[in-house]
Amino acid sequence: MLKIGVLNGDDIGHEIVPETVAVMRAAAERVGLGIEWENLPIGRKAYDELGTSMPGDTLDRLSKLDGWVLGPIGHQAYPKNPAAINPHPILRKHFDLYANIRPARSYRSLPCVHQDVDLVIVRENNEGFQPDRNVVAGSGEFRPSEDMTISVRVITRQGSSKVARAAFELAQARRKKLTAVHKDTVFKLGCGMFAEECRRVAAEFPEVEYQETMVDTFAMRLAMKPQQYDVVVTTNMFGDILSDEAAGLVGGLGMAPGLCAGPNLAMAQATHGSAPDIAGKGIANPFAMIISGAMLLDWLGRKKQEPKAVAAAELIKRATDHVIETRDQVTPDLGGTASTSQMGAAIRSQIVSGGA
Ligand code: ATP
């Protein structure tokens, strides 16, 4: 029995998370996997109802679960008030969710900049330049004078080594090819340390072909020939930018799933934001969130040796592939006319009918 939390997040989160949970339930039922679900408050709704966007009780209850689905957070629109904080950096840090795994895959049925893309960017999630994550107190950004701002980037051996290991394990299970992306020609100490740790872990995975590429060269090669990459590991901000670039190559942010993984817990979190411009219209693409849910089941299944969870994830992926390939029940961003719930229902019916 798995225990999985459900946190809708903001804006389109209230539409795509319920579809995701319904799809995960259908897949679990079909393979006979027991899941205990727990709905937990977070984000704007939690702030309005409980006075804080990140209730302490939610953190406590999450710590008793195996993982959770987190919808996108629209913190830019929160009131300027210390109780209305962006909760996802807190979750990533509190539960040591150090590896952000972001796949990008093209589909023949969809207009893409490139076809035959199937890569995964593994981004370090808790250090780097992100000023809300890289210090325990204060901020990694400060302004000593009116005309000067200093941003500090934190790179540690431990953080680099952990994310490198997560990436090599993934590469080992995929096409056995890993590219570390950095710029140690300029950031000799910071990127240098990241690269040293990647090389150290590489020595433990002799079957994985390992290469290093400077971030600027990689950005160019990714745009020109993304098919040459399989698993890519990089530091926080490079990974943030490059994973959006990768999503752009295969159909946009609605097609960009993600998983934040730690030592014992994982959080399904799509790459895209809360899309306030389309919230409430019923047209958000649930693909990224649904595949993020499948990634969570797959990760939990492998971690806890629960083959039914891996099978449920596989069912969701196959059903989703089918709906994308036939393209008659997809949302407007994919050129279709289906609503969020119609696309979710089409995926569920593939799972239930056994078509997947
Ligand atoms: P954040 O900084 O929180 O990641 P963002 O600034 O990248 O957010 P998004 O909220 O991701 O912005 O939205 C960017 C654009 O992509 C918007 O036009 C939005 O409508 C669109 N978009 C994002 N997610 C989806 C989705 N699931 N389905 C359809 N369109 C989406």
Side-chain angles (χ1 to χ4, degrees), residues 12 16 73-76 88 244 253-255 271-278 283-288 331 333:
I12 62 166
I16 59 175
I73 296 290
H75 63 96
Q76 295 89 340
H88 58 70
D244 270 30
L253 281 173
M255 298 300 290
T271 296
H272 60 73
S274 68
D277 54 333
I278 57 165
I283 55 168
N285 179 357
F287 174 94
T331 45
D333 59 309

Side-chain angles (χ1 to χ4, degrees), residues 7-346:
L7 302 97
N8 278 0
D10 298 317
D11 303 315
I12 62 166
H14 296 293
E15 299 158 55
I16 59 175
V17 172
E19 290 305 327
T20 299
V21 173
V23 165
M24 291 168 79
R25 276 182 191 274
E29 216 160 280
R30 180 133 177 240
V31 300
L33 169 73
I35 302 182
E36 206 178 292
W37 299 92
E38 186 168 2
N39 290 301
L40 294 166
I42 202 161
R44 179 64 198 237
K45 197 158 179 273
Y47 175 77
D48 290 341
E49 289 170 6
L50 306 165
T52 168
S53 54
M54 182 68 264
D57 190 47
T58 294
L59 276 185
D60 290 345
R61 285 157 67 188
L62 287 175
S63 66
K64 298 181 180 72
L65 304 177
D66 296 308
W68 57 90
V69 176
L70 173 70
I73 296 290
H75 63 96
Q76 295 89 340
Y78 289 179
K80 300 290 163 256
N81 174 332
I85 33 168
N86 177 7
H88 58 70
I90 298 175
L91 292 171
R92 292 174 184 186
K93 197 87 195 170
H94 187 82
F95 293 104
D96 192 20
L97 304 174
Y98 56 82
N100 189 188
I101 302 164
R102 293 181 156 182
R105 207 183 129 199
S106 60
Y107 284 85
R108 288 257 157 213
S109 57
L110 298 180
C112 293
V113 179
H114 289 281
Q115 291 294 347
D116 304 318
V117 179
D118 182 8
L119 60 87
V120 185
I121 295 186
V122 182
R123 160 199 180 199
E124 198 292 319
N125 216 14
N126 275 334
E127 3 189 276
F129 263 123
Q130 270 67 355
D132 54 354
R133 248 158 285 177
N134 64 12
V135 289
V136 287
S139 161
E141 248 193 342
F142 57 101
R143 185 162 296 174
S145 76
E146 261 318 305
D147 305 317
M148 184 199 295
T149 300
I150 298 179
S151 300
V152 177
R153 181 171 75 144
V154 174
I155 301 286
T156 68
R157 286 204 185 280
Q158 204 200 18
S160 305
S161 175
K162 284 196 307 191
V163 75
R165 189 169 306 280
F168 271 99
E169 282 169 359
L170 186 63
Q172 178 88 28
R174 285 176 50 100
R175 301 202 299 273
K176 300 189 171 38
K177 193 171 172 198
L178 188 136
T179 307
V181 171
H182 57 74
K183 182 116 183 165
D184 70 348
T185 47
V186 175
F187 299 97
K188 292 187 165 55
L189 299 182
C191 282
M193 181 178 285
F194 177 76
E196 275 168 33
E197 292 309 309
C198 288
R199 282 171 216 146
R200 229 190 282 275
V201 179
E204 296 170 36
F205 291 84
E207 286 171 35
V208 176
E209 182 191 327
Y210 173 66
Q211 61 173 6
E212 293 176 23
T213 305
M214 296 303 113
V215 63
D216 43 352
T217 308
F218 178 83
M220 182 263 300
R221 288 186 185 154
L222 180 65
M224 292 183 74
K225 201 164 178 285
Q227 299 85 350
Q228 66 185 297
Y229 296 110
D230 184 32
V231 178
V232 176
V233 66
T234 190
T235 49
N236 199 338
M237 208 172 80
F238 293 161
D240 194 24
I241 297 166
L242 294 171
S243 53
D244 270 30
E245 184 187 339
L249 298 177
V250 299
L253 281 173
M255 298 300 290
L259 185 77
C260 293
N264 304 308
L265 288 165
M267 166 170 92
Q269 186 186 19
T271 296
H272 60 73
S274 68
D277 54 333
I278 57 165
K281 296 186 179 157
I283 55 168
N285 179 357
F287 174 94
M289 197 71 249
I290 289 173
I291 295 296
S292 304
M295 290 171 72
L296 174 63
L297 287 175
D298 185 74
W299 188 90
L300 287 173
R302 290 173 201 278
K303 200 85 185 164
K304 297 182 176 296
Q305 265 115 49
E306 176 48 273
K308 285 179 183 169
V310 177
E314 198 47 45
L315 264 183
I316 297 173
K317 285 181 200 159
R318 282 212 304 274
T320 311
D321 280 2
H322 178 85
V323 168
I324 297 279
E325 273 150 21
T326 51
R327 221 182 152 195
D328 59 346
Q329 289 293 327
V330 296
T331 45
D333 59 309
L334 302 182
T337 53
S339 65
T340 308
S341 54
Q342 284 168 334
M343 186 166 164

